[in-house]
C-alpha cells in the first residue's frame, strides 16, 4: 500500500452480529483487493486487538487495536447484541466522540446506530436502525429524525442502515460515494449480489413477529 492509501475500518467487539460486519467487508474488500489502484484498504479493529467472539459464536481476530490502527477515513460500526453494553460504555463512547473530529465519514449497520446515538453523533440527524430497535433509538436521542422504512440513510458525513443484511446495501452505497457508480456496479456483479428471496418467506403484512420463547434453564448451544 502506498503512502496515500486511504483506510476503511470495521469495528469489532464481543457480540457483534456476523453479517453486520461480514457483509460490508465482502463488498469493500472485494473492491479494494481487486482494484488496488483506487487507493483504498479495509481493516478490522477492536479496542484491544484480541480475538472477538461474535453473536453467533464465530471467532475473529481483528487486524488492529485502537492504539495500532492507522488513521481512518471511514469507520463502519456494526450492530449485534454486543451493542447493548456499549451504549453505556464510556470508554467506547469517549473514543467515538474523540475520533469524530478526524474520521470524515462514519457509518453504522443495524444497532450500531444506537451507540452512535449514545455518543451524541446522531443529534438532529436523520437515521435508521433495526426495526426492533427504532423505539430505543428514539429514546436515546429524541432529536433524531427516525426513518423506519429506509434501507439506509445518508446524512452526509454519517450513514446509518437498518438491520443486518441492509449493511450490504449500505456498503454498496458507500462504494458509490467513494469510487463512483461504475465501480459499484462492477463490484455488485462480481459478488453476484442480486437478492431474490423465495416469495414464500415474505413476512405477512400486519402480522406480529416475536422471537421464540426460550427456557432460561435449558442448556444453551456453544
Amino acid at each position: 500500500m502506498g503512502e496515500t492509501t486511504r483506510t476503511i475500518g470495521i469495528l469489532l467487539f464481543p457480540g457483534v452480529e456476523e453479517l453486520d460486519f461480514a457483509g460490508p467487508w465482502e463488498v469493500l474488500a472485494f473492491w479494494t483487493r481487486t482494484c488496488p489502484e483506487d487507493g483504498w484498504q479495509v481493516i478490522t479493529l477492536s479496542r484491544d486487538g484480541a480475538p472477538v467472539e461474535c453473536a453467533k459464536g464465530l471467532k475473529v481476530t481483528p487486524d488492529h487495536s485502537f492504539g495500532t490502527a492507522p488513521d481512518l477515513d471511514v469507520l463502519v460500526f456494526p450492530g449485534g447484541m454486543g451493542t447493548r453494553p456499549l451504549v453505556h460504555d464510556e470508554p467506547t463512547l469517549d473514543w467515538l466522540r474523540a475520533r469524530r473530529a478526524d474520521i470524515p465519514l462514519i457509518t453504522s449497520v443495524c444497532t450500531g446506530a444506537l451507540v452512535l446515538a449514545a455518543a451524541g453523533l446522531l443529534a438532529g440527524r436523520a437515521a435508521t436502525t433495526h426495526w426492533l430497535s427504532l423505539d430505543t433509538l428514539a429514546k436515546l436521542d429524541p432529536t433524531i429524525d427516525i426513518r423506519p422504512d429506509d434501507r439506509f440513510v445518508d446524512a452526509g458525513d454519517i450513514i446509518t442502515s437498518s438491520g443486518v443484511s441492509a449493511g450490504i446495501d449500505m456498503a454498496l452505497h458507500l462504494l458509490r460515494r467513494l469510487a463512483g457508480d461504475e465501480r459499484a456496479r462492477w463490484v455488485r456483479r462480481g459478488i453476484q449480489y442480486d437478492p431474490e428471496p423465495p416469495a414464500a418467506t415474505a413476512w405477512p403484512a400486519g402480522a406480529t413477529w416475536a422471537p421464540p420463547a426460550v427456557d432460561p434453564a435449558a442448556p444453551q448451544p456453544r
Side-chain angles (χ1 to χ4, degrees):
M1 293 289 178
E3 293 182 0
T4 59
T5 298
R6 290 170 288 182
T7 301
I8 302 167
I10 300 179
L11 186 65
L12 301 179
F13 48 86
V16 64
E17 187 67 32
E18 283 86 343
L19 189 57
D20 281 18
F21 74 85
W25 173 271
E26 178 63 30
V27 171
L28 298 168
F30 186 95
W31 163 47
T32 60
R33 293 183 178 225
T34 54
C35 305
E37 68 274 15
D38 286 354
W40 285 86
Q41 65 173 343
V42 186
I43 65 165
T44 55
L45 69 156
S46 69
R47 181 183 297 177
D48 58 9
V52 167
E53 182 168 351
C54 305
K56 307 298 190 300
L58 180 69
K59 295 179 176 64
V60 182
T61 301
D63 297 313
H64 293 279
S65 67
F66 284 177
T68 67
D71 292 340
L72 302 180
D73 298 275
V74 181
L75 173 67
V76 179
F77 203 121
M81 291 305 295
T83 59
R84 280 38 170 198
L86 292 182
V87 167
H88 307 287
D89 184 70
E90 285 303 322
T92 297
L93 300 180
D94 287 344
W95 180 82
L96 270 174
R97 294 176 187 124
R99 298 306 304 273
R100 180 71 188 92
D102 55 40
I103 300 178
L105 180 55
I106 294 178
T107 75
S108 67
V109 180
C110 196
T111 55
L114 302 183
V115 188
L116 300 190
L121 273 58
L122 300 183
R125 294 174 176 269
T128 193
T129 187
H130 191 286
W131 65 271
L132 281 172
S133 296
L134 291 167
D135 289 345
T136 302
L137 184 62
K139 290 175 183 176
L140 282 167
D141 187 340
T143 72
I144 298 173
D145 176 12
I146 306 293
R147 302 290 178 86
D149 300 318
D150 289 359
R151 191 77 168 158
F152 58 85
V153 176
D154 188 331
D157 55 355
I158 294 183
I159 306 172
T160 55
S161 80
S162 56
V164 195
S165 63
I168 300 173
D169 294 7
M170 184 279 292
L172 284 167
H173 173 73
L174 173 62
L175 177 50
R176 288 181 62 222
R177 282 191 49 172
L178 300 179
D181 290 352
E182 183 176 349
R183 188 67 91 201
R185 283 193 295 268
W186 183 84
V187 168
R188 178 177 167 179
R189 178 60 176 166
I191 64 173
Q192 199 168 355
Y193 179 61
D194 296 292
E196 195 172 333
T201 65
W203 189 252
T208 300
W209 186 95
V214 177
D215 179 358
Q220 298 300 306
R222 293 294 296 172

